[in-house]
Amino acid sequence: MFLTPVLKVRTDMPLYQQLYQHIKAEIIAGHLVAEQKLPSKRRLAEHLDVSQNTVKGAYEQLLEEGYISSKERSGYFVQEIRNLVQVPKVAEHIEEPGTEKPQWIVDFGYHGVDLEHFPFLILRKLAKDILGQRDPAFLRRVDPQGYKPLRDAIASYLHNARGVHCNPEQIVISSGTEFLFSILFQVLPDHFLYGIEDPGQDRLPLLFRRNRAQWVPMAMDVDGMRTDSVRESGVDVLCITPAHQFPSGTIMSVGRRTELLEWAGQKPSRYLVEDDYDGEFKYGGVPVPALQSLDGHERVVYMGTFSKALTPSLRISYMVLPEHLLRLYRRTLSYLICPVPLLDQMLLYRFIQDGYFERHLNQMRTIYRRKREALVKGLRNLSGAIHVQGAEAGLHLVLKVNNGMTEGQLIAAAQACGVKVYGMSAYRIQSSESPIPEILIGYASVTLSDVEKGVGLLAEAWFGGAT
Amino acid sequence: MFLTPVLKVRTDMPLYQQLYQHIKAEIIAGHLVAEQKLPSKRRLAEHLDVSQNTVKGAYEQLLEEGYISSKERSGYFVQEIRNLVQVPKVAEHIEEPGTEKPQWIVDFGYHGVDLEHFPFLILRKLAKDILGQRDPAFLRRVDPQGYKPLRDAIASYLHNARGVHCNPEQIVISSGTEFLFSILFQVLPDHFLYGIEDPGQDRLPLLFRRNRAQWVPMAMDVDGMRTDSVRESGVDVLCITPAHQFPSGTIMSVGRRTELLEWAGQKPSRYLVEDDYDGEFKYGGVPVPALQSLDGHERVVYMGTFSKALTPSLRISYMVLPEHLLRLYRRTLSYLICPVPLLDQMLLYRFIQDGYFERHLNQMRTIYRRKREALVKGLRNLSGAIHVQGAEAGLHLVLKVNNGMTEGQLIAAAQACGVKVYGMSAYRIQSSESPIPEILIGYASVTLSDVEKGVGLLAEAWFGGAT
């Protein structure tokens, strides 16, 4: 008889589970074949010297998963299992030593967030609550534009924190800027010409090219995108980052905002796409609301993300469509379902609604401000040859370093001292490099003590330790 | 003094929280203004007759969120708060009566899953474990192709359950078929012509059009896509659903599979896109592995989803790219980040790795088989004028109803009896309607007792109750 497993009283697996596993393995191995009759619960329980309940538990699970069937008044029979699924475990993932990233003492990258204050336990509590409710909404498709309560909460946040005028119906939730743009490309006419910031986000040219959207680089000055080049360019849509231009860190001046809105207002086919990627963080001076708040003519498409405010691994972004584009979107993109899983949308909704988001943002702002102050102070003390710009907002700043080194030399010298910094030139398309090299420094992911350590190492790398 | 809140010993909010809320509200209201000095902890504790720890807790939270600052040896001061965020609560979402769906007695829709056996509690446990680990991976970007352990687990599942040959590197995880296709459109040449099944998935024509991809409808017969029309069409890529054609329910014959693979093998620019949307569920007979398992020439792009196996609200799909397309994808789509949040990818990985997925699939297969059997038996008993097809696999079947009614009349008569059924003609592009009307019936979301109730109501609707 194949049904003689060695059952052990183990705390980690109940007896009925052990028996289930054993019988299942015997069926899969072909030792018990289709149509074969299994012993009755009573007989097997006696044979194994276990309770009938143990056998009952095992048989029920086997029944449930289709390994056996029961025929009334005649007993249990092994089922044909060739259409059942087996999924062997894979090897647990262990980082291979060779694939590790180079070990930096300090990495001033700017794609991450603070590593010490992520609200894991709050999210754990909320996930537990949400999944415990067994909400039938989980078993249906997601709303095409995103979970309505989350859109309500985002609209409330945008109104209060960024001055954005919108109703929740205008919000489209998606997975990231690239997905929002690919929706826009489908809503707007194919022949549209897009103007993108130069220097600007390096993913955009490739994103536009792969989506067969025409684009031209636009010149920038200290106030933002230059109005003269906008006027000459013949573009239909400008893609801008007014709150904290990437990568230069400039905050677009009020005058320039007005000029660009005027430009857009001159033709009904002109649009501004405002990417407010790190607009949550402004550290001093007058708060600057989103450009969208000044838009009286439905010319601005506002894009936001939770990548900086929470974490890039959340993959939740959204845009606010002007009413007439919303109608177009609904008419033309009916096949498109919101890509964000409902669980994350519900989690984020509760996180905002229960007040955790407000607290988290204000706490992170305090933390980031401290890091930024330590960084700016340290860098300014380091040498008069360093000029800091773009530090009033966001999570990165730009250094002009006038010590005679080129950008490449600055990066290499920092690297030799174990510090990773980034060059502005990687973000230039046609614009010529600044005569004084520009270095990008992100401070979200480093600790306060790493900021000090990093500045000390940069002093060594760039000024031979003379501080 | 504004700092005299009415503090209550309440179980739902600790005293320090009440004090924090009160002071925060006073600051926001402008009753406490920037630079104003707050009383010392000792003084305020005496004033309010609470412990110093209570005041300390409130001050610490206010410090953390940036409402006050502390200056060494001089005390606590109200901060400039104009850049802090306030996010008012939104009204809790209540379904408006007017927006409710019409109340069906039984809805035989086919986009959903079983509503009674979703593993909420297992997912809750896994979410708790995952978020409790405070994994720093949560604070970084997601792997562009998707979480590697999940890709390992999917590869193991595909190999064992669907016979798919792949290594985890070839898997690209995304949010849904439409996102997978939009990646393919960017990887494959712009001029490619796509052939889609007619009748077929109704979202495809719009998806293709909006992505500026050229397509033609392809004729079908009982074996699948017709080889003669494939040969005449001049298409480069065929989009097919061999496991259970949507909507007809046909399983593509082995002969047809071989013919299509031969066709694809004749030119290096030909591809088959195999959408295995419900390939998890096959109920009897010989298991039919995925078409990809027969592909010796890297001609098949295999697409899968967890929408049917788990729930459509999960929004996790994936495709297996042939090696040469994988290289192209990596070269051309470097800007594209996997849209699925890391939390869901980790959840799904653990769900598969810990054996829950195998059990869930086998359990659901048993449940769906029971519903299907009750449905098929009921329908066959109902009238000789009903012919059932496409019931060997998947989660829906097709009825040919030969009672003299048109498709529209069948749907309307069912509706009059409270039963929602669906017409095949909505999925036809150019193909002519069958002389005997065809009705789609999904059975995943209905209960076993609803199946019986629904069949009884259809008997009344279509045959005047004569069964």
Side-chain angles (χ1 to χ4, degrees), chain A residues 17 20-21 24 61 63-67 79 82-90 92-93 111 113-115 118 120-121 123-124 127-128 131-132 134-135 137-142 148-149 152-153 156-157 160-161 175 178-179 185-186 188 190 203 206-207 210-212 282-287 311-315 332-344 347 349-350 352-353 358-359 361-363 365-366 369, chain B residues 17 20-21 24 61 63-67 79 82-90 92-93 111 113-115 118 120-121 123-124 127-128 131-132 134-135 137-142 148-149 152-153 156-157 160-161 175 178-179 185-186 188 190 203 206-207 210-212 282-287 311-315 332-344 347 349-350 352-353 358-359 361-363 365-366 369:
Chain A
Q17 274 282 330
Y20 150 79
Q21 295 274 17
K24 179 174 137 185
Q61 190 155 344
L63 272 170
E64 204 170 70
E65 295 176 25
Y67 289 96
Q79 276 277 84
R82 53 188 177 178
N83 279 307
L84 287 180
V85 171
Q86 276 103 46
V87 189
K89 274 198 180 220
V90 295
E92 293 279 342
H93 192 64
H111 291 306
V113 291
D114 181 89
L115 300 176
F118 187 71
F120 281 110
L121 298 185
L123 292 175
R124 186 172 75 161
K128 227 180 115 205
L131 288 166
R134 311 176 72 97
D135 187 336
F138 267 102
L139 304 164
R140 292 193 285 261
R141 286 186 170 181
V142 175
K148 178 62 168 50
D152 291 344
S156 163
Y157 160 71
N160 285 279
S175 288
E178 62 271 40
F179 295 91
F185 295 144
Q186 296 180 58
L188 298 176
D190 291 4
R203 297 182 313 158
L206 194 51
L207 168 68
R210 297 312 312 167
N211 282 278
R212 301 166 183 107
K282 171 109 176 29
Y283 301 103
V286 186
T311 162
S313 81
L314 187 61
R315 306 297 285 139
T332 56
L333 293 182
S334 55
Y335 72 89
L336 211 61
I337 302 164
C338 174
V340 184
L342 186 61
L343 174 60
D344 308 76
L347 264 177
Y349 163 63
R350 286 251 65 99
I352 300 173
Q353 177 76 347
E358 177 183 307
R359 286 197 193 174
L361 275 185
N362 289 332
Q363 185 191 359
R365 183 175 160 280
T366 311
R369 193 179 50 201
Chain B
Q17 274 281 331
Y20 150 80
Q21 296 274 18
K24 180 175 137 183
Q61 189 156 345
L63 272 171
E64 205 170 69
E65 294 177 25
Y67 289 96
Q79 275 277 85
R82 53 188 175 177
N83 280 306
L84 287 182
V85 171
Q86 276 104 48
V87 189
K89 272 196 182 225
V90 295
E92 293 279 340
H93 192 64
H111 291 306
V113 292
D114 181 88
L115 300 176
F118 188 71
F120 280 110
L121 297 186
L123 291 175
R124 186 171 75 162
K128 226 181 114 205
L131 287 166
R134 311 175 72 98
D135 187 338
F138 268 102
L139 305 164
R140 292 193 285 261
R141 287 186 169 181
V142 175
K148 179 61 169 50
D152 291 344
S156 163
Y157 161 71
N160 285 278
S175 289
E178 62 271 41
F179 295 91
F185 294 145
Q186 296 180 58
L188 296 176
D190 291 5
R203 296 183 311 158
L206 194 51
L207 168 69
R210 298 313 311 165
N211 282 277
R212 302 166 181 106
K282 171 108 177 28
Y283 302 102
V286 186
T311 164
S313 82
L314 186 62
R315 306 297 286 136
T332 56
L333 293 182
S334 55
Y335 72 90
L336 211 62
I337 301 164
C338 174
V340 184
L342 186 61
L343 174 60
D344 308 76
L347 264 178
Y349 163 63
R350 286 252 63 100
I352 300 173
Q353 177 75 347
E358 177 184 308
R359 287 196 191 174
L361 276 185
N362 289 331
Q363 184 191 0
R365 184 176 160 278
T366 311
R369 194 180 47 202

Side-chain angles (χ1 to χ4, degrees), chain B residues 133-209:
Chain B
Q133 280 164 20
R134 311 175 72 98
D135 187 338
F138 268 102
L139 305 164
R140 292 193 285 261
R141 287 186 169 181
V142 175
D143 183 305
Q145 282 184 236
Y147 184 52
K148 179 61 169 50
L150 177 59
R151 287 187 280 128
D152 291 344
I154 290 174
S156 163
Y157 161 71
L158 286 181
H159 178 72
N160 285 278
R162 305 294 299 128
V164 169
H165 303 299
C166 71
N167 71 60
E169 291 304 320
Q170 291 171 262
I171 295 177
V172 177
I173 294 172
S174 193
S175 289
T177 313
E178 62 271 41
F179 295 91
L180 295 173
F181 267 111
S182 90
I183 293 174
L184 266 192
F185 294 145
Q186 296 180 58
V187 170
L188 296 176
D190 291 5
H191 62 78
F192 263 21
L193 182 62
Y194 295 78
I196 67 180
E197 297 174 329
D198 177 14
Q201 307 200 46
D202 54 340
R203 296 183 311 158
L204 288 191
L206 194 51
L207 168 69
F208 280 61
R209 202 174 300 134

Side-chain angles (χ1 to χ4, degrees), chain B residues 1-5 22-23 26 31-32 36-40 43-48 59:
Chain B
M1 183 174 195
F2 283 108
L3 293 180
T4 312
H22 175 79
I23 301 175
E26 294 292 72
H31 299 151
L32 293 167
Q36 188 173 337
K37 192 177 172 191
L38 292 177
S40 71
R43 268 198 51 213
L44 187 57
E46 277 170 13
H47 174 68
L48 296 174
Y59 277 16

Side-chain angles (χ1 to χ4, degrees), chain B residues 197-406:
Chain B
E197 297 174 329
D198 177 14
Q201 307 200 46
D202 54 340
R203 296 183 311 158
L204 288 191
L206 194 51
L207 168 69
F208 280 61
R209 202 174 300 134
R210 298 313 311 165
N211 282 277
R212 302 166 181 106
Q214 303 296 314
W215 61 276
V216 284
M218 307 294 295
M220 309 288 295
D221 62 21
V222 288
D223 289 321
M225 203 177 259
R226 275 174 50 186
T227 323
D228 56 345
S229 50
V230 169
R231 289 208 189 94
E232 286 158 18
S233 65
V235 300
D236 303 286
V237 184
L238 293 178
C239 304
I240 48 180
T241 50
H244 188 233
Q245 203 268 334
F246 190 88
S248 74
T250 319
I251 300 175
M252 191 185 285
S253 69
V254 177
R256 189 60 54 85
R257 287 168 191 244
T258 313
E259 284 169 17
L260 292 182
L261 278 167
E262 271 172 20
W263 169 86
Q266 281 159 9
K267 275 193 190 175
S269 63
R270 285 181 179 167
Y271 294 96
L272 304 174
V273 177
E274 174 179 24
D275 183 359
D276 204 25
Y277 70 103
D278 65 0
E280 296 85 0
F281 301 109
K282 171 108 177 28
Y283 302 102
V286 186
V288 184
L291 182 65
Q292 198 264 11
S293 69
L294 304 172
D295 174 23
H297 300 92
E298 301 204 343
R299 309 275 47 128
V300 177
V301 175
Y302 175 91
M303 290 183 177
T305 172
F306 291 92
S307 290
K308 301 287 181 188
L310 270 164
T311 164
S313 82
L314 186 62
R315 306 297 286 136
I316 304 187
S317 299
Y318 53 86
M319 65 181 161
V320 178
L321 288 176
E323 295 279 1
H324 67 283
L325 289 185
L326 177 71
R327 286 190 293 273
L328 212 55
Y329 159 85
R330 289 192 169 162
R331 207 161 58 229
T332 56
L333 293 182
S334 55
Y335 72 90
L336 211 62
I337 301 164
C338 174
V340 184
L342 186 61
L343 174 60
D344 308 76
Q345 298 197 61
M346 283 184 160
L347 264 178
L348 185 55
Y349 163 63
R350 286 252 63 100
F351 192 76
I352 300 173
Q353 177 75 347
D354 294 357
Y356 298 113
F357 186 56
E358 177 184 308
R359 287 196 191 174
H360 182 69
L361 276 185
N362 289 331
Q363 184 191 0
M364 293 320 297
R365 184 176 160 278
T366 311
I367 288 164
Y368 290 142
R369 194 180 47 202
R370 268 189 221 129
K371 292 184 186 180
R372 181 196 70 126
E373 275 164 14
L375 182 61
V376 171
K377 200 174 144 197
L379 290 166
R380 286 199 174 131
N381 288 343
L382 202 149
S383 163
I386 285 191
H387 174 73
V388 179
Q389 64 184 37
E392 289 71 36
L395 301 174
H396 78 278
L397 47 79
V398 176
L399 305 181
K400 291 200 173 197
V401 188
N402 195 4
N403 67 348
M405 288 180 172
T406 63

Side-chain angles (χ1 to χ4, degrees), chain A residues 69-360:
Chain A
S69 62
S70 82
K71 288 179 198 162
E72 228 172 312
R73 264 186 284 272
S74 60
Y76 297 93
F77 295 84
V78 174
Q79 276 277 84
E80 176 62 70
I81 59 146
R82 53 188 177 178
N83 279 307
L84 287 180
V85 171
Q86 276 103 46
V87 189
K89 274 198 180 220
V90 295
E92 293 279 342
H93 192 64
I94 296 153
E95 285 281 331
E96 285 164 45
T99 63
E100 272 167 30
K101 287 174 195 160
Q103 294 297 315
W104 302 98
I105 299 173
V106 181
D107 182 347
F108 283 117
Y110 34 83
H111 291 306
V113 291
D114 181 89
L115 300 176
E116 298 174 301
H117 299 85
F118 187 71
F120 281 110
L121 298 185
I122 292 165
L123 292 175
R124 186 172 75 161
K125 179 178 89 78
L126 296 176
K128 227 180 115 205
D129 289 355
I130 290 166
L131 288 166
Q133 280 164 19
R134 311 176 72 97
D135 187 336
F138 267 102
L139 304 164
R140 292 193 285 261
R141 286 186 170 181
V142 175
D143 183 305
Q145 283 183 236
Y147 185 52
K148 178 62 168 50
L150 176 59
R151 287 188 280 126
D152 291 344
I154 290 174
S156 163
Y157 160 71
L158 286 180
H159 178 71
N160 285 279
R162 307 293 300 127
V164 168
H165 304 298
C166 70
N167 72 59
E169 291 305 319
Q170 292 171 261
I171 295 177
V172 177
I173 294 173
S174 194
S175 288
T177 313
E178 62 271 40
F179 295 91
L180 295 172
F181 267 111
S182 89
I183 292 174
L184 267 191
F185 295 144
Q186 296 180 58
V187 170
L188 298 176
D190 291 4
H191 62 77
F192 263 22
L193 181 62
Y194 295 78
I196 67 179
E197 297 174 329
D198 177 14
Q201 306 200 47
D202 54 340
R203 297 182 313 158
L204 288 192
L206 194 51
L207 168 68
F208 280 60
R209 202 174 301 134
R210 297 312 312 167
N211 282 278
R212 301 166 183 107
Q214 301 296 314
W215 61 276
V216 283
M218 308 295 293
M220 311 289 295
D221 63 21
V222 289
D223 289 321
M225 204 177 259
R226 277 174 51 184
T227 323
D228 55 346
S229 49
V230 169
R231 289 205 188 94
E232 287 158 17
S233 64
V235 300
D236 302 286
V237 185
L238 293 178
C239 304
I240 49 180
T241 51
H244 188 234
Q245 202 267 333
F246 190 88
S248 73
T250 318
I251 299 174
M252 191 186 283
S253 69
V254 177
R256 188 61 53 85
R257 287 169 191 244
T258 314
E259 284 169 17
L260 292 183
L261 280 167
E262 272 172 20
W263 169 86
Q266 282 158 10
K267 277 193 188 173
S269 63
R270 284 181 179 167
Y271 294 96
L272 304 174
V273 176
E274 173 178 27
D275 182 0
D276 204 25
Y277 70 103
D278 65 1
E280 296 86 358
F281 300 110
K282 171 109 176 29
Y283 301 103
V286 186
V288 184
L291 181 64
Q292 198 265 12
S293 70
L294 304 171
D295 174 23
H297 301 90
E298 301 205 344
R299 309 273 45 116
V300 177
V301 175
Y302 175 91
M303 290 183 177
T305 172
F306 291 92
S307 291
K308 302 286 182 189
L310 270 164
T311 162
S313 81
L314 187 61
R315 306 297 285 139
I316 303 186
S317 299
Y318 52 88
M319 64 181 162
V320 179
L321 288 176
E323 296 279 2
H324 66 284
L325 288 186
L326 177 71
R327 286 191 291 276
L328 213 53
Y329 158 85
R330 289 191 169 162
R331 207 161 59 230
T332 56
L333 293 182
S334 55
Y335 72 89
L336 211 61
I337 302 164
C338 174
V340 184
L342 186 61
L343 174 60
D344 308 76
Q345 297 197 61
M346 285 185 159
L347 264 177
L348 185 54
Y349 163 63
R350 286 251 65 99
F351 192 77
I352 300 173
Q353 177 76 347
D354 294 357
Y356 298 114
F357 186 56
E358 177 183 307
R359 286 197 193 174
H360 182 70

